[in-house]
Amino acid sequence: MPVVVSATVAAMRTHAVRLSRPWRGQRSCPLPSFRPLSTTPSRFANALPITATGPPPDPPTPASGPYSDKVTERRRKAALLEAGKEIRAAAAASQSPGKKSSSPLKRRFWKDVHIRESPSGGFEVYLDARPVRTPSKTILTIPKSKPHLAHAIAIEWDMLESAQQALKNHNIPMTSTTARAQDIAEAEARGDHTIRNEIIKVMMGYLDTDTLLCWVPEQQSFDDGTGPLDTQTETKKETLRQRQIRIATPILAFLNTSVWPGVEIKPVLDEGSIMPVRQSEVTRSVIQGWIAGLPAFELAALERAVLATKSLLVGTRLLIEWSEEFRDLQRGGPDDARFGIEEAAEAATLEVRWQTAMWGEVEDTHDVDNEDIRRQLGSAILLVSGGR
């Protein structure tokens, strides 16, 4: 047995020597050495701090949302448009150095805006020595009982930067509405009632589809018929139809008792129908006769309010509350809440606000409409209210 072991060891040594010898034409390379496996546990190396030189990295920046991207894009486009205008203006000035680069309408030809008393006892607005005129070329005259209206018109013209801006009625709402009232008065003084008849026709068209009377059908969401519930408080939630009725009820009650006593005003939409219901001929006759008897300034203010709210009833309620011609119908108590701009805007835009609260607003659409309707209603109030 020892002889066999010795022979085996000798053979292994001979084979190791042959492997360690280089081949012909090749360099000798040592055999790789293998470390024996160890049963002792391995030790972790200590981590050294980073000692690299240079500035620290920039802090992370939050990702821009879609709204900021839109704002940035609009600012970039506005800057490009402004730069293009400057380049075109410089090119035009270089081609014709002896001519003016802008037309007279693109600059402001007046320096001072002031108010003067007219020979008829009212007020006139002057741009330096030039009076403000209506589209019919007559001098714009404000009644003496409305000094705040004259100052509002003067402020409008003092805020303009060029005469070209005055060509747009939305830049001078008080001037345009006052000119409308003066045109009605001057035409009727000549016996021409064409403007009034056109306004009456438009107003009566709004009565058949009045916003205040368009109530949505009641939607039953549960088997017991109680309507939708607030999931947090488990109480009955007011539906859109219920809110429409709640806001319209006091307005209709005031009109039925103070303005058109005994007149029946019914909703223009039945449940389950999309066709509006026409008011009775008696109701239409009474309302049409009342509009025909309005003074010129009240008629122009009613037209502005109805076009803004799409509601003849809301416009009439606002007119009665603020017109100096209807002082006997106004609430005189200090604690009485007046029907103002916010109440009229809420009644006219209730369904839109309900939908935007559920689905969200459209940028540059709903927010602009909300401010515009208040501006229109404010101009109507200012046109008819007089100094107390």
Side-chain angles (χ1 to χ4, degrees), residues 83-120:
K85 291 180 181 179
E86 294 178 358
I87 293 174
R88 287 192 296 269
S94 61
Q95 293 177 0
S96 55
K99 298 181 180 180
K100 294 183 179 179
S101 59
S102 60
S103 63
L105 292 178
K106 293 184 178 180
R107 60 184 177 87
R108 175 171 168 163
F109 59 82
W110 67 93
K111 294 183 180 179
D112 183 39
V113 182
H114 56 277
I115 301 172
R116 298 179 185 177
E117 290 190 8
S118 64
S120 60

Side-chain angles (χ1 to χ4, degrees), residues 126-335:
Y126 278 78
L127 310 178
D128 293 339
R130 303 179 180 88
V132 176
R133 297 179 180 271
T134 65
S136 59
K137 305 303 180 182
T138 60
I139 298 177
L140 185 66
T141 305
I142 299 95
K144 194 173 183 179
S145 62
K146 305 176 186 296
H148 51 280
L149 178 59
H151 285 85
I153 295 174
I155 293 174
E156 282 184 347
W157 285 89
D158 196 27
M159 294 179 63
L160 297 179
E161 298 179 356
S162 65
Q164 191 174 12
Q165 294 180 349
L167 300 177
K168 304 294 184 180
N169 288 335
H170 64 270
N171 291 328
I172 48 174
M174 297 309 311
T175 305
S176 61
T177 310
T178 307
R180 177 71 163 172
Q182 185 168 327
D183 289 342
I184 296 172
E186 292 175 354
E188 293 182 349
R190 301 189 302 266
D192 184 8
H193 297 274
T194 304
I195 302 177
R196 181 178 292 269
N197 294 334
E198 292 177 354
I199 295 176
I200 292 175
K201 182 179 180 181
V202 174
M203 298 298 100
M204 297 306 296
Y206 277 101
L207 178 63
D208 294 329
T209 57
D210 199 288
T211 302
L212 189 68
L213 302 177
C214 292
W215 303 339
V216 300
E218 191 67 70
Q219 296 181 357
Q220 302 280 337
S221 299
F222 297 91
D223 296 335
D224 57 355
T226 57
L229 297 178
D230 191 344
T231 56
Q232 295 182 356
T233 60
E234 293 299 329
T235 58
K236 185 177 179 181
K237 186 178 179 181
E238 188 180 30
T239 63
L240 176 57
R241 182 182 178 87
Q242 293 172 351
R243 183 174 298 183
Q244 288 175 327
I245 296 175
R246 177 172 58 84
I247 292 179
T249 299
I251 299 176
L252 297 177
F254 178 84
L255 297 177
N256 289 332
T257 56
S258 301
V259 186
W260 311 309
V263 172
E264 180 187 4
I265 302 176
K266 53 188 177 181
V268 299
L269 286 179
D270 290 334
E271 292 196 33
S273 175
I274 61 174
M275 299 302 295
V277 178
R278 185 182 176 89
Q279 301 292 338
S280 66
E281 293 300 328
V282 176
T283 300
R284 294 178 60 85
S285 178
V286 171
I287 296 177
Q288 183 173 345
W290 179 82
I291 299 176
L294 288 176
F297 275 79
E298 275 65 27
L299 183 60
L302 179 64
E303 181 186 25
R304 174 62 62 87
V306 172
L307 293 178
T309 60
K310 308 299 185 294
S311 172
L312 177 60
L313 303 180
V314 174
T316 302
R317 180 67 181 91
L318 187 71
L319 175 67
I320 297 298
E321 187 69 25
W322 296 94
S323 174
E324 59 181 349
E325 298 291 335
F326 299 98
R327 294 279 177 83
D328 55 330
L329 300 179
Q330 298 171 4
R331 301 173 180 176
D335 298 334

Side-chain angles (χ1 to χ4, degrees), residues 6-47:
S6 300
T8 304
V9 171
M12 292 177 63
R13 289 178 178 177
T14 304
H15 182 68
V17 171
R18 291 179 180 177
L19 289 177
S20 62
R21 292 178 181 176
W23 297 346
R24 295 182 180 179
Q26 292 183 352
R27 298 180 181 178
S28 61
C29 58
L31 292 175
S33 59
F34 298 94
R35 298 178 59 184
L37 296 177
S38 175
T39 58
T40 59
S42 61
R43 301 177 62 184
F44 295 97
N46 295 328

